[in-house]
Amino acid sequence: MNLVWIPVMVRNYIELYDDYFVFYYGFSKERFEIKDILKLEKSKNPMASSANSLDRIHMTTKDKDFYISLKDNDDFIKNILLKKNVYQ
């Protein structure tokens, strides 16, 4: 197995705060404002990205279009939508 893939298998999580979340994936770390999310939907597109699972979330923000896969995608979507409604 290629050693490059070990960090993305081990470090793939999100820290969710009141008005933003931080996405950790391998060696990268990105912060996203919840108010900047334009689209959030479930996806199973195998050609979409290097997300670790076919059970994915497709997210579009003001600056970026990307896919993530988490242990509980439904809970993440629910929490983001709740926070988005509170802060709009």
Side-chain angles (χ1 to χ4, degrees):
M1 183 166 144
N2 192 337
L3 293 176
V4 172
W5 290 104
I6 292 174
V8 298
M9 297 303 287
V10 174
R11 191 169 185 237
N12 177 22
Y13 63 95
I14 286 181
E15 291 178 346
L16 184 58
Y17 299 95
D18 286 338
D19 55 348
Y20 68 95
F21 67 92
V22 181
F23 177 47
Y24 297 87
Y25 190 70
F27 296 114
S28 68
K29 172 183 166 183
E30 284 190 77
R31 177 183 162 142
F32 296 94
E33 298 292 325
I34 291 173
K35 66 178 174 58
D36 291 342
I37 297 172
L38 304 174
K39 183 168 117 179
L40 185 67
E41 63 188 0
K42 293 175 84 172
S43 172
K44 293 192 183 283
N45 183 350
M47 302 299 290
S49 76
S50 59
N52 292 351
S53 167
L54 288 178
D55 191 19
R56 303 170 177 189
I57 298 171
H58 178 220
M59 188 176 311
T60 304
T61 67
K62 287 182 180 179
D63 301 319
K64 193 169 187 174
D65 186 32
F66 61 101
Y67 289 81
I68 58 174
S69 58
L70 304 168
K71 287 182 183 176
D72 193 344
N73 290 335
D74 291 329
D75 189 51
F76 176 75
I77 291 171
K78 180 184 80 173
N79 281 307
I80 289 293
L81 294 176
L82 285 172
K83 290 175 182 297
K84 195 161 176 61
N85 287 333
V86 167
Y87 291 103
Q88 284 187 348

